[in-house]
Amino acid sequence: MSIEGVVLKLPSFSQLINPNRTPLKFPFNFPNSSSSSSYSSATASLSVPAAAPVSLGHSTRPDFEILYQKVNNGSKLVYLDNAATSQKPSAVIDAVNNYYKSYNSNVHRGIHFLSAKATDEYEMARRKVASFVNAPESSEIVFTRNATEAINLVAYSWGLSNLKAGDEIVVTIAEHHSSIVPWQILSEKTGAVLKFVSLTEDEVPDIKVLQDLLSKKTKLVAVHHVSNVLASVLPIKDIAQWAHDVGARILVDACQSVPHMVVDVQDLGVDFLVASSHKMCGPTGIGFLYGKSELLTAMPPFLGGGEMISDVFLDHSTYAEPPSRFEAGTPAIGEAIGLGTAIDYLSQIGMQKIHDYEVELANYLYENLHAIPGVRIYGPAPSETVHRAALCSFNVEGLHPTDIATFLDQQ
């Protein structure tokens, strides 16, 4: 949540020119947050002034041991790649270690002490996820390897059962590849048609175009909540209502929103929502799918094997109720427990507090990058009505993205 938590992304969006340009300098002076809490003076003497306000970033930095190291010939590590994966607080690392050291066992398959303990903690993590996104029931949370697998689960299980030739899927051109390729594959298998929402001049998905694309042919709207490239935020509640008005379902890629703001699936009115643990201070190798109970219950299994069955006969099998139906095989138990601990960590700070701090950082980052000649930032400019997420994708005139990334990494 410190300035180290702001994400600088370096995609190669355009061909760069003027290779002889004078090298750029990035004169950042990192601010303290005026809205953050402060530490009181440790002494009872009234003559000693209170300590200066400490930003949320500085107050949480000690929780991330990885940041306290020297790299590149003794330089202090500054980590700006949280859009790709976040660092893990000590509490999360300790929780995963404790599982393997103290009660490592399979879940749902034994009555002995270790298995019972592991099962309790695994299911507790599911309840924490449900509470974090305000899902009505914990059974509406399916653990997956990541958000990509969660999207594919919906594509193969719900999509193959509900789409036919001529049906339409609406997506934006700003989606992550994990929310484009599965729908392309699904379209090839079913004959459904992909409809793409273009960008406005402000480089945000054109909501008017999205509305115009919706029709009785639309069966699914698959959109991001926060763009991992443009930093734009879509009005998901409105989009969900428009989709439902034409009888369509909506899936939201919330990988860049769940870790950074309050997300309430009931308030948003979404049918499906996916997110990844590793982008919200949790372990890699686990994510989750939220799906409305009536939809999950009607969906066939995605993978076959142990745990997802009710009874197995030689000529057929019957399947477990969700979420077990979609969690074939031994799950990522330690990772799920670590995700639960990450949710505890974020919740203890407060998601609204995190969001408010990141808005401040986002504006600071944009304004200072924008002031540097030759820097081209993608996505909308922040204003009183437009809030950017705390990331910036940019190019620098005359420099290849790999070169500027290498240069900054060596500073």
Side-chain angles (χ1 to χ4, degrees), residues 380-392:
S383 67
E384 292 184 1
T385 57
V386 177
H387 298 293
R388 285 182 60 99
L391 62 88
C392 277

Side-chain angles (χ1 to χ4, degrees), residues 11-312:
S12 181
F13 281 112
S14 61
Q15 184 176 5
L16 299 175
I17 58 174
N18 191 9
N20 298 318
R21 181 176 180 83
T22 302
L24 296 171
K25 297 182 179 180
F26 291 79
F28 284 100
N29 292 311
F30 297 164
N32 283 334
S33 171
S34 59
S35 61
S36 63
S37 60
S38 62
Y39 292 127
S40 61
S41 175
T43 176
S45 172
L46 296 179
S47 62
V48 178
V54 177
S55 74
L56 179 60
H58 284 89
S59 65
T60 56
R61 200 174 200 276
D63 299 334
F64 297 83
E65 295 182 18
I66 194 171
L67 299 179
Y68 289 86
Q69 61 176 293
K70 302 293 185 178
V71 296
N72 294 335
N73 299 319
S75 299
K76 176 183 174 182
L77 174 63
V78 176
Y79 186 77
L80 297 172
D81 202 22
N82 290 278
T85 195
S86 62
Q87 296 302 336
K88 324 305 175 192
S90 298
V92 170
I93 297 170
D94 291 344
V96 176
N97 285 341
N98 186 48
Y99 162 70
Y100 285 110
K101 290 193 301 183
S102 302
Y103 57 99
N104 173 51
S105 183
N106 216 324
V107 294
H108 301 141
R109 308 184 186 198
I111 60 173
H112 58 84
F113 173 82
L114 293 182
S115 181
K117 171 71 171 174
T119 299
D120 287 346
E121 294 296 325
Y122 179 76
E123 291 303 327
M124 176 61 75
R126 192 191 308 276
R127 291 192 291 273
K128 290 177 180 179
V129 173
S131 176
F132 195 62
V133 297
N134 197 31
E137 303 289 341
S138 63
S139 59
E140 295 177 315
I141 301 300
V142 178
F143 284 132
T144 59
R145 287 189 305 119
N146 44 43
T148 300
E149 182 176 85
I151 294 172
N152 277 271
L153 190 163
V154 174
Y156 279 87
S157 181
W158 181 87
L160 290 178
S161 301
N162 289 275
L163 297 186
K164 63 183 184 303
D167 288 342
E168 295 179 353
I169 304 170
V170 174
V171 300
T172 81
I173 65 172
E175 299 308 308
H176 192 281
H177 291 161
S178 62
S179 196
I180 293 179
V181 177
W183 312 124
Q184 291 175 334
I185 295 173
L186 180 61
S187 295
E188 292 172 358
K189 291 179 177 294
T190 63
V193 179
L194 275 177
K195 295 286 187 175
F196 286 95
V197 177
S198 57
L199 301 182
T200 67
E201 292 182 356
D202 294 326
E203 297 181 340
V204 298
D206 194 322
I207 300 304
K208 182 63 168 60
V209 170
L210 190 153
Q211 283 185 277
D212 291 342
L213 286 176
L214 297 178
S215 71
K216 292 299 181 181
K217 291 183 179 181
T218 308
K219 301 304 177 185
L220 179 69
V221 177
V223 293
H224 60 270
H225 194 176
V226 174
S227 171
N228 71 317
V229 172
L230 302 174
S232 55
V233 183
L234 293 182
I236 295 300
K237 189 172 183 177
D238 292 337
I239 296 173
Q241 184 61 59
W242 301 333
H244 293 155
D245 286 345
V246 297
R249 300 297 185 180
I250 179 171
L251 178 146
V252 174
D253 174 0
C255 287
Q256 302 294 344
S257 62
V258 167
H260 304 288
M261 63 179 68
V262 176
V263 173
D264 184 331
V265 295
Q266 294 188 69
D267 180 62
L268 294 175
V270 298
D271 299 299
F272 301 105
L273 180 142
V274 305
S276 282
S277 163
H278 73 95
K279 294 181 180 178
M280 52 190 293
C281 298
T284 57
I286 190 164
F288 68 86
L289 163 70
Y290 158 77
K292 287 183 176 177
S293 179
E294 63 269 22
L295 295 176
L296 294 178
T297 299
M299 288 162 53
F302 175 44
L303 300 173
E307 187 60 29
M308 50 73 65
I309 45 86
S310 178
D311 293 295
V312 176

Side-chain angles (χ1 to χ4, degrees), residues 325-343:
R325 183 184 302 171
F326 305 106
E327 296 180 5
T330 297
I333 304 167
E335 288 79 358
I337 293 168
L339 170 57
T341 303
I343 287 173

